[in-house]
Amino acid sequence: MKHLVVGASGQVGSHLLRALEESTHSVVGTYHTRSRGNLIPLNLEDPANIRALLAEVQPNVVWMPAALPDVDRCQREPELSHRVNVEAVQALASEATAFGARFIFYSTDYVFDGSQGPYLEDDAPNPLQVYGAHKLEAERWLIANIPEVLVIRTAWVYSQEDNPRNFTFRIKQQLASGQRLKAATDQVSTPTSAEDLALRSLKAEQERLSGILHLVGPTRLSRYEWTVSLAQEFGYSTDIVDPILTKEVGLAALRPLNGGLVTRWNG
Ligand SMILES: NC(=O)c1ccc[n+]([C@@H]2O[C@H](COP(=O)([O-])OP(=O)(O)OC[C@H]3O[C@@H](n4cnc5c(N)ncnc54)[C@H](OP(=O)(O)O)[C@@H]3O)[C@@H](O)[C@H]2O)c1
């Protein structure tokens, strides 16, 4: 089996790539702006580039963690968000299907409004912001058009990597630079280890699951509680974190507050 990970330079994609390599699968990964290792370049906004990549790699399974997941940037640049988070998904999934490959897509708890989380797969979505609306549009298109597609929704992904896109690393950096931290007490979700997410994703693929699957960590807590526990873990006093409300942060896009997902699958 040959696997293609589109977005292997990202937090989720890099862990998927590693898990696939360690399970002795043949695997190829792509990057867009952050070259690393043996990754090959791909611009998802260029359909000819997508077609040429699939013709070259000839994968059996195409994984798509690639996205524009910067929620506030999507709010400010909705056309870019639509091109990457919707149109590119449609183009890649269509080409993958034409090549006879299985398609696996990553989505988010931001398809929900956070009025009564944590959410199950069949709860009704109601996104509050451009990012969530575009991820939902992509999900719905895939379910309607791509046979056997698997849509994996996850939330608040973290890892051990020294990468500014990783929340736990950002907290560590801010603490090391002597900053006090502020974290929202009213934003609740389910932090998810990128490593666990990758391993469970592989298992879901091996079991040929399809449709929508929620894959998150077992604990549900607020940003404030999470930040306090990280401060403790990194050897700082818990009173270095000031509690605030999400609306005080001044973000461009609304966040689901009472959010998070439930994983029912015990694989
Ligand atoms: N992180 C979270 O907390 C979280 C929570 C819920 C759901 N998710 C979902 O999980 C998935 C992965 O998120 P992540 O945290 O791994 O994101 P990430 O670290 O920002 O990675 C995004 C990946 O997409 C690639 N990419 C972006 N624009 C592209 C383009 N135009 N052409 C080709 N590749 C492009 C990036 O390439 P370069 O970096 O090389 O430019 C990178 O490899 C996303 O679908 C996201 O919606 C994430």
Side-chain angles (χ1 to χ4, degrees):
M1 291 286 276
K2 189 158 191 189
H3 293 251
L4 172 64
V5 178
V6 174
S9 50
Q11 186 167 219
V12 172
S14 60
H15 287 82
L16 258 180
L17 187 82
R18 193 171 315 144
L20 284 160
E21 283 167 351
E22 286 170 2
S23 66
T24 68
H25 282 89
S26 163
V27 55
V28 173
T30 74
Y31 74 94
H32 180 222
T33 58
R34 293 177 300 158
S35 166
R36 49 157 108 161
N38 294 329
L39 301 185
I40 51 181
L42 172 70
N43 179 5
L44 279 165
E45 292 185 66
D46 178 356
N49 199 179
I50 292 175
R51 208 164 301 125
L53 173 79
L54 288 173
E56 184 192 329
V57 178
Q58 303 266 332
N60 304 103
V61 184
V62 176
W63 300 83
M64 190 183 187
L68 188 70
D70 179 334
V71 182
D72 297 309
R73 184 166 179 206
C74 290
Q75 201 68 21
R76 289 190 300 269
E77 299 179 60
E79 286 168 7
L80 174 66
S81 170
H82 199 267
R83 286 201 302 278
V84 178
N85 289 328
V86 182
E87 291 158 44
V89 182
Q90 295 168 335
L92 183 67
S94 301
E95 288 294 337
T97 305
F99 275 91
R102 180 141 198 254
F103 193 72
I104 302 177
F105 175 66
Y106 283 84
S107 189
T108 169
D109 59 329
Y110 280 36
V111 298
F112 297 108
D113 60 16
S115 59
Q116 47 185 354
Y119 292 94
L120 298 168
E121 284 87 346
D122 39 15
D123 284 332
N126 181 33
L128 298 176
Q129 66 305 94
V130 168
Y131 169 68
H134 287 169
K135 296 295 280 190
L136 181 62
E137 187 179 342
E139 280 188 5
R140 286 184 166 156
W141 187 90
L142 289 170
I143 298 285
N145 293 284
I146 302 297
E148 309 249 310
V149 68
L150 176 61
V151 172
I152 298 176
R153 289 189 188 136
T154 190
W156 284 11
V157 180
Y158 67 91
S159 65
Q160 305 302 321
E161 282 187 357
D162 289 353
N163 176 340
R165 298 193 196 190
N166 173 16
F167 179 71
T168 58
F169 176 69
R170 287 204 304 274
I171 295 297
K172 197 161 124 185
Q173 268 193 323
Q174 287 167 13
L175 289 167
S177 68
Q179 288 178 46
R180 289 191 62 78
L181 304 178
K182 290 180 180 170
T185 52
D186 59 345
Q187 208 185 115
V188 177
S189 191
T190 39
T192 306
S193 143
E195 199 174 340
D196 287 351
L197 176 64
L199 293 173
R200 298 186 80 191
S201 297
L202 260 59
K203 192 146 185 253
E205 192 281 318
Q206 280 155 12
E207 293 191 14
R208 304 266 331 159
L209 299 192
S210 61
I212 294 176
L213 177 68
H214 286 185
L215 281 187
V216 289
T219 310
R220 187 163 176 267
L221 38 67
S222 69
R223 275 277 178 205
Y224 174 74
E225 290 166 320
W226 192 16
T227 307
V228 164
S229 77
L230 289 170
Q232 273 177 316
E233 189 183 318
F234 298 138
Y236 293 82
S237 158
T238 55
D239 61 16
I240 200 154
V241 189
D242 293 324
I244 53 166
L245 293 175
T246 303
K247 65 181 182 201
E248 297 174 80
V249 185
L251 300 165
L254 292 172
R255 301 300 198 265
L257 296 183
N258 183 10
L261 304 173
V262 180
T263 299
R264 284 185 291 193
W265 179 57
N266 56 14

